[in-house]
Amino acid sequence: MPAATPGTPSLLRALNDRAALELLLTHGPLSRTRIGHLTGLSKPTASQLLARLEAAGLVVATGTAAGRPGPNAQLYAVNARAAHVAGLDVTPGRILASVADLTGEVIGSHELAYSEGTGPVAQVTRALGEAVKDAGLHLADIHRVVIATPGSFDPRTGVLRYADHLVGWQSPTLLDELAAALPMPVEYENDVNLAAVAEQRLGAARGHEDFVLLWNEEGLGAALVLGGRLHRGWTGGAGEVGFLPVPGHPLVRQVTRINSGGYQELAGVQVLPAMAARLGIEAPPTAASGSVHGAVHGAEAGAMVERAAALLSQAAAAPEGANLLLLREYATALTTGLASLVAVLDPEIVVLSGAVTIAGGEPLRELIEAELADLAPSRPLLVSGEVRERPVLRGALESALAATRDEVFDTSRR
């Protein structure tokens, strides 16, 4: 076995630089002494490191630490303006766009109602442009954009799959058109996968290498993280559990509505009003019957989600009588599909996310946990998602930040 090659001075400096920058992101402003203590570097080496990073524009002096004997210590922080990223969350109803600085703080946002009569490229560029304008920046200031969509782009063909309800996004030339229209690198990711990224970096899945995120909002979906990495599958369709066959419900090929069948027909948001009606629980009328995909679009889908979430929230607030029966019936439906994922993957934890599941709160989570104990041999920890405000968009920003920091923080290239 060959001997390991010792690190060069430039490589060691770059590693120390990255370690210091990560500490500043985690802890906020730190003094030279504190950075030296946390990294194990001597005071002279820590001073050289900070001087190097300040000259590179990656850190800035930001006040002093008062309250101690002797001179106040100079504090240093990551230069938030050293790079900027953007994230977009695209649904049939709207496009959300946000811009964040290098520290992850959102400094600009815009929401654009989705119009089926306008092409995707025009709508993406408009939403992004307005968010960048809101941040006081120009498109040239954005280092990277991550776009979240339902379904996923097939890595072999570049065509969006599993999302026929996102009108206009199935063109085989769309990715080339977007690349030509936008001046920065653009990446695309499934929306539920990005919700998992948000939970992994900021929420309930921090510190966990193997987990499943079950998403329940306009549709049912899952994200699979194995060994700390997203598992996307051969065509990008890993986690499209709405299509999962379940006993007593139509297969995908047996239904005519878009993105319907299987698990979606058993436990999707659209089943809750009928469940409530059978139990004598009054609920607002739905905008349309059937699957939330295909027959229901845009604002109607959003209204259906709100009504379903309201039903579960009311039931969770008073889990007795018919309300408790509603929670139990819906927990059983959700767990039927979840048990298949758990039996195959044996994850460390399962994160429940999305507006509908979150609305059921702790009572629904406990019922799902009890059902899962009867249906699956393994016992993953079942937790509710902690990233509640626009988790898909937050995941898009976190994904863009991770790649951008890898580039910007690599001082060996300077």
Side-chain angles (χ1 to χ4, degrees):
M1 183 175 180
T5 302
T8 63
S10 61
L11 175 59
L12 293 175
R13 282 196 299 270
L15 292 174
N16 288 335
D17 291 348
R18 179 63 187 257
L21 289 165
E22 293 290 348
L23 286 169
L24 290 171
L25 284 174
T26 301
H27 297 282
L30 296 172
S31 67
R32 178 194 63 181
T33 300
R34 183 63 175 157
I35 289 173
H37 175 74
L38 292 172
T39 59
L41 299 174
S42 65
K43 287 185 178 180
T45 302
S47 295
Q48 293 170 5
L49 177 151
L50 286 168
R52 188 165 59 246
L53 293 179
E54 193 170 16
L58 294 176
V59 303
V60 292
T62 175
T64 58
R68 294 181 180 180
N72 294 337
Q74 178 68 60
L75 297 177
Y76 296 87
V78 169
N79 181 7
R81 299 185 63 82
H84 298 89
V85 302
L88 278 75
D89 177 12
V90 180
T91 74
R94 51 92 184 117
I95 298 178
L96 295 175
S98 286
V99 173
D101 63 29
L102 193 58
T103 68
E105 181 181 355
V106 174
I107 58 173
S109 296
H110 185 73
E111 180 172 348
L112 178 69
Y114 193 86
S115 171
E116 294 183 3
T118 306
V121 175
Q123 294 189 78
V124 165
T125 53
R126 180 181 172 188
L128 176 60
E130 291 296 330
V132 170
K133 181 180 178 181
D134 187 51
L137 302 172
H138 300 91
L139 281 178
D141 297 319
I142 306 301
H143 283 65
R144 175 176 279 95
V145 173
V146 172
I147 299 177
T149 67
S152 59
F153 287 92
D154 191 319
R156 300 169 299 172
T157 65
V159 174
L160 184 67
R161 303 187 64 188
Y162 315 106
D164 291 343
H165 58 299
L166 193 59
V167 177
W169 283 71
Q170 287 72 36
S171 168
T173 63
L174 177 60
L175 296 187
D176 290 336
E177 293 170 9
L178 284 167
L182 299 175
M184 73 291 290
V186 185
E187 298 173 6
Y188 305 87
E189 186 60 83
N190 171 262
D191 51 2
V192 182
N193 281 352
L194 289 173
V197 169
E199 292 292 345
Q200 185 180 33
R201 294 179 64 87
L202 304 172
R206 280 174 296 182
H208 298 280
E209 294 287 301
D210 294 87
F211 70 93
V212 168
L213 181 138
L214 182 66
W215 177 262
N216 187 9
E217 204 156 293
E218 293 183 12
L220 283 169
L224 319 176
V225 175
L226 307 175
R229 299 171 63 88
L230 283 170
H231 177 72
R232 297 179 176 87
W234 181 244
T235 66
E240 292 290 343
V241 296
F243 300 108
L244 185 72
V246 294
H249 288 268
L251 299 175
V252 173
R253 67 171 180 265
Q254 294 172 323
V255 296
T256 58
R257 295 183 300 276
I258 298 171
N259 286 8
S260 300
Y263 190 28
Q264 181 70 36
E265 294 289 314
L266 172 67
V269 60
Q270 75 278 4
V271 308
L272 272 164
M275 280 187 182
R278 285 197 305 271
L279 296 167
I281 300 173
E282 185 177 352
T286 56
S289 61
S291 172
V292 72
H293 295 309
V296 183
H297 285 277
E300 292 180 346
M304 184 179 285
V305 171
E306 288 181 7
R307 285 190 289 271
L311 274 170
L312 284 186
S313 181
Q314 293 165 12
E320 57 186 32
N323 287 322
L324 179 56
L325 291 176
L326 176 64
L327 282 179
R328 284 179 173 169
E329 186 172 342
Y330 196 57
T332 298
L334 283 172
T335 312
T336 299
L338 179 59
S340 297
L341 287 172
V342 170
V344 172
L345 297 171
D346 188 21
E348 182 183 1
I349 68 169
V350 172
V351 180
L352 301 177
S353 188
V356 177
T357 310
I358 292 298
E362 185 63 11
L364 180 61
R365 189 205 66 79
E366 290 177 352
L367 288 168
I368 294 172
E369 186 174 59
E371 286 285 325
L372 194 60
D374 289 336
L375 295 178
S378 59
R379 297 289 184 271
L381 178 65
L382 199 66
V383 298
S384 296
E386 295 177 359
V387 182
R388 303 292 176 87
E389 184 176 355
R390 297 179 173 177
V392 172
L393 186 59
R394 186 69 245 181
L397 290 172
E398 289 299 318
S399 181
L401 282 167
T404 299
R405 288 168 180 165
D406 281 343
E407 295 173 359
V408 175
F409 288 175
D410 186 0
T411 56
S412 67
R413 299 180 183 182
R414 297 174 183 268

